């Protein structure tokens, strides 16, 4: 058996956090896994015809239907009595999860299939040219929400897809980050041990779309968590059961500044927008209890 | 026209992405390594290998030169060097 279940030779950009997160996830899940993938960066860079980087069975059908195909795969395994040894992962990017694939995903959760669904969230449609998605954060400059004299970028908030998943009443929902590799693998193992629908939301920086240096991927992923902009939390049976407590809270500027997609926020006149982003972080911290309060 | 719809597992290895590297490549100094395995964990290509201290190396056939391994090394034991530098290891 190869050391990793996602082989080199895939065509992800240098420093891509999605490729490293996908490898960590699959290595934790193990070889008895069937992957069903929505269209997206991950599918495109890992399966450039006629090759595949996957060492496990992998199916791609359409942008919106990985959850429906995965439901069928799981039903077949169940019918043949093989679900105890072979597990199913349905995975997608942020567009495939929160926008285009949400209907199929909601159906899969609601029907109670024994599947782990994973969202690799790089916060825009990177593969097709950095168009904004429902998970693009407020005031991000993308190709369809460009910052200009009359715009500070994407005017809409990031959709809370984690709580949408929790609202389905599924047994396990968690967020993780490429900046915390061991935590990510621990959550995958925990999810795989639970029967029923599971959802894992993984934050993955994209050097191309976020416009940072490839070697900053890891640091930027950590800063998103340490500023409170990406809360690392776990829900079990609808209740929050785990959270990453931020030891030293950092201002959102530390996270925003290295990224070209937020460059316009550091020009004169953008102070109000910056303040609003800090308020988003503050609300996350309060909502999920991300900072240890003095007792 | 008939085309094959399936592919051999891991056949992306046919695609030697090392040619993407243009400026810098990581050099594993193998001096102060504490075998923390961070470089293995964060390599987006999954090509860093090693077990014992000071035994870690990457596979230049596939390394895209992103520099993540050097950026996360807590011992600063991985250095990004210009591509044309003579390799010691």
């Amino acid at each position: 058996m190869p050391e990793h279940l996602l082989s080199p030779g895939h065509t992800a950009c240098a420093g891509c956090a999605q490729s490293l997160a996908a490898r960590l996830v699959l290595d934790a899940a193990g070889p008895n896994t069937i992957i069903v993938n929505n269209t997206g960066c991950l599918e495109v860079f890992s399966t450039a015809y006629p090759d595949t980087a996957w060492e496990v069975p992998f199916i791609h059908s359409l942008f919106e239907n990985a959850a429906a195909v995965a439901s069928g795969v799981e039903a077949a395994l169940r019918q043949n009595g093989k679900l105890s040894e072979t597990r199913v992962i349905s995975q997608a990017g942020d567009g495939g999860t929160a926008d285009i694939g949400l209907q199929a995903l909601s159906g899969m959760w609601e029907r109670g299939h024994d599947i782990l669904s994973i969202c690799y969230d790089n916060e825009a449609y990177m593969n097709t040219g950095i168009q904004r998605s429902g998970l693009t954060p407020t005031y991000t400059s993308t190709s369809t929400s460009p910052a200009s004299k009359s715009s500070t970028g994407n005017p809409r908030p990031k959709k809370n897809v984690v709580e949408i998943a929790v609202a389905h009443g599924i047994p396990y929902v968690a967020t993780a980050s490429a900046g915390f590799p061991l935590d990510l693998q621990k959550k995958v193992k925990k999810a795989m041990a639970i029967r029923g629908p599971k959802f894992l939301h993984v934050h993955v920086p994209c050097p191309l779309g976020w416009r940072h240096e490839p070697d900053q991927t890891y640091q930027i992923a950590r800063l998103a968590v340490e500023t409170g902009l990406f809360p690392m939390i776990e829900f079990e049976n609808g209740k929050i059961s785990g959270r990453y407590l931020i030891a030293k809270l950092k201002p959102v500027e530390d996270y925003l500044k290295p990224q070209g997609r937020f460059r316009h926020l550091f020009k004169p006149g953008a102070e109000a927008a910056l303040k609003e982003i800090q308020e988003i972080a503050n609300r996350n911290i309060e909502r999920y209890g991300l900072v240890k309060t003095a007792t | 026209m008939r085309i094959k719809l399936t592919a051999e597992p891991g056949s992306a290895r046919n695609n030697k992405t090392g040619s993407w590297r243009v400026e810098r490549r990581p050099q594993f100094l193998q001096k102060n390594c504490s075998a923390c395995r961070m470089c293995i964990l964060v390599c987006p290509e999954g090509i860093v290998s090693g077990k014992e201290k000071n035994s870690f190396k990457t596979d230049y056939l596939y390394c895209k030169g992103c520099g993540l391994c050097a950026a996360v090394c807590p011992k600063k034991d991985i250095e990004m060097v210009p591509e044309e530098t003579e390799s010691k290891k």
Side-chain angles (χ1 to χ4, degrees):
Chain A
M1 202 178 86
E3 194 182 349
H4 302 295
L5 297 171
L6 183 64
S7 83
H10 60 70
T11 57
C13 305
C16 170
Q18 194 176 35
S19 64
L20 92 87
R23 174 176 56 77
L24 291 168
V25 164
L26 190 53
D27 284 350
N32 287 335
T33 307
I34 297 176
I35 298 222
V36 187
N37 217 132
N38 277 25
T39 304
C41 273
L42 180 56
E43 169 261 321
V44 169
F45 77 63
S46 63
T47 58
Y49 188 81
D51 296 323
T52 178
W54 302 93
E55 304 277 6
V56 299
F58 172 98
I59 311 165
H60 163 252
S61 174
L62 298 170
F63 210 135
E64 65 275 27
N65 70 352
V69 175
S71 300
V73 172
E74 186 257 11
L77 288 170
R78 186 183 294 276
Q79 178 66 22
N80 293 324
K82 289 188 174 162
L83 201 54
S84 57
E85 68 225 49
T86 308
R87 308 302 295 277
V88 185
I89 290 180
S90 165
Q91 60 187 21
D94 49 299
T97 299
D99 298 347
I100 301 175
L102 188 59
Q103 176 262 122
L105 194 57
S106 174
M108 182 177 89
W109 288 336
E110 171 264 314
R111 290 188 302 269
H113 291 282
D114 183 16
I115 295 168
L116 169 62
S117 36
I118 299 175
C119 169
Y120 297 98
D121 182 8
N122 56 18
E123 306 193 320
Y125 291 88
M126 298 313 182
N127 182 50
T128 48
I130 319 164
Q131 292 87 1
R132 76 165 284 280
S133 80
L135 292 186
T136 302
T138 317
Y139 300 137
T140 307
S141 180
T142 70
S143 59
T144 48
S145 63
S148 67
K149 271 183 195 155
S150 50
S151 165
T152 40
N154 176 37
R156 302 296 305 152
K158 186 179 173 86
K159 193 188 288 189
N160 193 337
V161 72
V162 173
E163 294 206 17
I164 293 174
V166 171
H168 283 73
I170 61 179
Y172 186 68
V173 177
T175 63
S177 164
F180 295 81
L182 293 174
D183 174 80
L184 168 61
Q185 292 196 312
K186 203 176 85 189
K187 282 169 178 164
V188 170
K189 284 184 178 145
K190 185 170 177 179
M192 293 308 254
I194 297 168
R195 292 286 165 173
K198 287 86 60 175
F199 177 59
L200 190 58
H201 186 128
V202 191
H203 199 230
V204 287
C206 167
L208 176 79
W210 297 14
R211 286 183 272 143
H212 60 73
E213 291 302 319
D215 64 0
Q216 289 180 307
T217 296
Y218 178 79
Q219 197 51 40
I220 283 179
R222 288 189 77 91
L223 283 168
V225 173
E226 287 162 355
T227 53
L229 282 171
F230 187 82
M232 282 220 303
I233 42 181
E234 281 179 292
F235 291 87
E236 278 168 82
N237 300 313
K239 287 209 177 87
I240 189 158
S241 62
R243 53 176 73 76
Y244 173 81
L245 284 175
I246 304 166
K248 195 168 179 292
L249 186 66
K250 292 179 175 149
V252 291
E253 285 87 347
D254 288 13
Y255 168 66
L256 304 174
K257 206 145 198 187
Q259 303 180 51
R261 62 176 180 159
F262 294 119
R263 187 174 299 143
H264 58 288
L265 299 175
F266 294 92
K267 287 183 182 152
E271 292 81 6
L274 259 184
K275 207 171 148 232
E276 255 184 78
I277 295 179
Q278 184 61 59
E279 276 162 18
I280 292 170
N282 295 348
R283 278 200 296 276
N284 283 340
I285 291 161
E286 200 190 318
R287 186 176 180 84
Y288 302 116
L290 301 177
V291 175
K292 208 172 185 179
T293 44
T295 45
Chain B
M1 189 180 76
R2 280 185 141 190
I3 56 163
K4 208 167 154 258
L5 280 174
T6 55
E8 287 298 310
S11 54
R13 285 189 180 83
N14 294 330
N15 187 18
K16 308 288 188 284
T17 50
S19 63
W20 292 23
R21 247 172 26 249
V22 282
E23 286 167 353
R24 307 173 308 156
R25 66 159 187 258
Q27 189 145 313
F28 286 66
L29 305 178
Q30 304 190 345
K31 281 180 190 155
N32 300 316
C33 169
S34 63
C36 71
R37 296 175 56 84
M38 276 307 290
C39 47
I40 291 187
L41 279 174
V42 303
C43 175
E45 318 306 316
I47 46 171
V48 179
S49 58
K51 276 202 174 92
E52 308 299 320
K53 286 178 187 176
N54 299 319
S55 76
F56 288 71
K57 56 179 175 24
T58 189
D59 185 348
Y60 293 120
L61 214 49
Y62 297 103
C63 173
K64 292 170 186 164
C66 71
L68 261 177
C69 50
V72 301
C73 180
K75 300 285 181 188
K76 306 249 175 296
D77 206 38
I78 306 171
E79 213 169 54
M80 295 306 288
V81 297
E83 193 54 55
E84 59 271 19
T85 317
E86 194 90 7
S87 179
K88 284 175 192 153
K89 288 252 153 58

